């Protein structure tokens, strides 16, 4: 397509960068996506091979179809369309904007290289007037949306050890500590029955969302039965008192155990007191919580709740900052118009419960707004078997994006 390209070194996987400068005086958009995906397992639950994209009806099935390659393709195709128009001597339509793309390969592990890339390239390669990211979802089919927030993440692992090795539970039961029970008790002290996290200072820097933002969210009118239908959960939990489902999904921090193990897990029985027990614990964060602060408070609290019969070991995994979009910027209204034109419905502002490591870091360093415009759907099975992407959303997305850029060259200079 005539772009200049460059590989940007990553700690595990390099990022792909491309730029096309039509005119130095024009504004520049930096479009972000990620080419890495979550593991496809369990394989036996896939109806078509995860890495052989298969079109059935209005859907394309493949790991990464929604998260995130199908959505990246929307932007490539929209830009391609505009470039072709601009190169057609008969059409006389110059490009309204300069394009940059960065497609990274470490998003699903928390974007560990983005901090350094931004430090190194924020004043040249990555410099832009705004970011554009399609790595989120619409609230339902036919209802376009712009996301105004992302949650952050802190992911940690803890190991509780009480002895050098496993012990006969008859020989030492009664005098030896059981680390699995200790860990369970420690975990039970992390949050109350409403989901409120009990780590001291956990909520200190939580900044409430504005009335206007909450009003926009409440328009979505999410119901427990809708969540139950989409997710397959049996029941929604009680939840913190005074918070709507939208608030609980997007504006409140959470704590979850992602995995827990220790001791004998083989067939039959084995009478031991295990020497170790471990858990992977993650927290979704909201503005302005900081993963470093939260980690410190988490570790201190775990140490405080542990009896002196055990030793603790902590591992810190991925983290992401939370993000809040500056919707007063006029690109948000322009994007709303373009989406409305194609989907025939007024777009809504909503939040995202998940995280995208690149967005908060880059938006802050470059001091630019980020447009989060998702085209995946809640039934797209992201991170799950039979991930899929709606082809009609794909084609509408291309139209909406090329429409957005075409509007830029009218009177809507940003
Ligand atoms: N595309 C998702 C983010 C997302 C999730 C958007 C749900 C909308 C709804 C992204 O690829 C993702 O999965 N991020 C991870 C990051 C983590 C592994 C550091 C996440 O949120 O778990
Ligand atoms: Mn993902």
């Amino acid at each position: 397509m005539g772009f200049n390209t460059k590989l940007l070194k990553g700690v595990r996987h390099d990022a792909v960068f491309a730029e096309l400068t039509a005119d130095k005086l024009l504004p520049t958009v930096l479009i972000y996506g990620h080419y890495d995906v979550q593991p496809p397992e369990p394989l036996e639950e896939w109806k078509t091979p995860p890495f052989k994209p298969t079109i059935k009806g209005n859907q394309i099935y493949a790991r990464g179809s929604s998260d995130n390659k199908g959505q990246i393709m929307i932007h490539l195709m929209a830009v391609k369309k505009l470039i072709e128009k601009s190169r057609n001597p008969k059409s006389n339509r110059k490009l309204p904007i300069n394009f940059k793309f960065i497609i990274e390969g470490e998003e699903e592990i928390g974007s560990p290289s983005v901090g350094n890339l931004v430090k190194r390239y924020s004043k040249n390669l990555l410099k832009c007037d705004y970011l554009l990211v399609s790595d989120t979802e619409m609230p339902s089919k036919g209802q376009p949306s712009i996301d105004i927030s992302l949650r952050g993440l802190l992911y940690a692992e803890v190991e509780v050890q009480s002895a050098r090795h496993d012990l006969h539970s008859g020989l030492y039961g009664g005098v030896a500590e059981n680390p699995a029970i200790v860990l369970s008790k420690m975990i039970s002290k992390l949050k109350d029955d409403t989901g409120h996290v009990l780590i001291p200072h956990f909520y200190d820097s939580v900044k409430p969302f504005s009335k206007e933002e909450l009003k926009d969210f409440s328009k979505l009118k999410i119901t427990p039965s809708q969540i139950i239908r989409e997710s397959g959960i049996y029941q929604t939990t009680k939840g913190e008192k005074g918070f709507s489902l939208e608030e609980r999904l997007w504006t409140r921090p959470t704590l979850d155990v992602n995995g827990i193990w220790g001791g004998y897990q083989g067939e039959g029985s084995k009478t031991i007191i295990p020497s170790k027990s471990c858990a992977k614990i993650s927290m979704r964060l909201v503005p302005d919580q900081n993963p470093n602060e939260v980690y410190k408070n988490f570790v201190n609290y775990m140490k405080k709740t542990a009896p002196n019969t055990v030793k603790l070991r902590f591992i810190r995994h991925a983290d992401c900052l939370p993000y809040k979009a500056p919707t007063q910027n006029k690109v948000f209204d322009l994007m709303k118009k373009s989406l409305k034109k194609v989907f025939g419905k007024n777009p809504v502002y909503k939040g995202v419960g998940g995280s995208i490591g690149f967005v908060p870091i880059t938006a802050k360093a470059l001091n630019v707004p980020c447009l989060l415009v998702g085209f995946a759907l809640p039934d797209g099975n992201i991170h799950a078997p039979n991930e899929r992407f709606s082809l009609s959303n794909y084609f509408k997305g291309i139209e909406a994006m090329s429409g957005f850029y075409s509007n830029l060259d009218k009177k809507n200079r940003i």
Side-chain angles (χ1 to χ4, degrees), residues 34 38 67 107-108 382-383:
H34 63 92
Q38 289 281 334
D67 184 7
E107 193 277 341
E108 300 288 7
I382 64 170
H383 293 203

Side-chain angles (χ1 to χ4, degrees), residues 71-101:
Q71 302 203 69
I72 296 172
M73 285 308 290
I74 286 179
H75 291 284
L76 286 174
M77 290 302 111
V79 172
K80 183 163 178 263
K81 233 166 103 169
L82 287 175
I83 293 175
E84 280 164 4
K85 256 194 217 159
S86 77
R87 288 182 185 154
N88 178 348
K90 273 182 247 154
S91 88
N92 191 27
R93 285 202 42 129
K94 292 212 180 106
L95 284 182
I97 190 162
N98 300 315
F99 293 107
K100 291 181 176 178
F101 281 89

